[in-house]
Amino acid sequence: MSRKIYSTIGNKITQKELADKLGVKHNAISSWENGVNSIDIDILFRVCQIFGVTVNDMYGIHNNYQPSTIAVHFDGDKFTQEQIERNKAFYSG
């Protein structure tokens, strides 16, 4: 986790306050940040909830994946070109 908790929380909360909210000892926070111990997944989710971030945010994972295909449900025989263009526009943002 290496310093991600610290950089996420900044000056908002101390390690002791976070530890109290999580029900762990305050030195556990430091050991997670320094890579001495691994954080339990349930506690990681609680940390993310407390700070309003995702696990990906916490680990600095940014996925800019743009799909090259889309799937659209249609009950008719086939799409018109106009329907295809409308679906492409809707799903591409």
Side-chain angles (χ1 to χ4, degrees), residues 1-59:
M1 168 136 314
S2 77
R3 315 235 41 82
K4 286 293 181 186
I5 295 174
Y6 179 79
S7 64
T8 300
I9 64 176
N11 294 323
K12 296 177 190 176
I13 188 172
T14 66
Q15 287 183 347
K16 171 97 172 79
E17 291 168 329
L18 179 58
D20 289 344
K21 286 180 182 265
L22 296 172
V24 300
K25 295 181 180 181
H26 72 278
N27 60 348
I29 310 296
S30 178
S31 70
W32 299 332
E33 290 179 337
N34 293 314
V36 174
N37 291 317
S38 296
I39 189 170
D40 179 79
I41 191 71
D42 293 327
I43 293 177
L44 175 61
F45 288 147
R46 288 176 37 215
V47 169
C48 291
Q49 287 176 332
I50 289 168
F51 296 111
V53 298
T54 67
V55 172
N56 283 357
D57 293 335
M58 190 65 76
Y59 281 92

Side-chain angles (χ1 to χ4, degrees), residues 64-72 83-93:
N64 296 326
Y65 173 74
Q66 294 292 323
S68 59
T69 60
I70 60 171
V72 179
Q83 290 169 320
I84 292 170
E85 295 306 318
R86 243 185 319 167
N87 286 324
K88 282 183 184 177
F90 177 80
Y91 286 102
S92 64

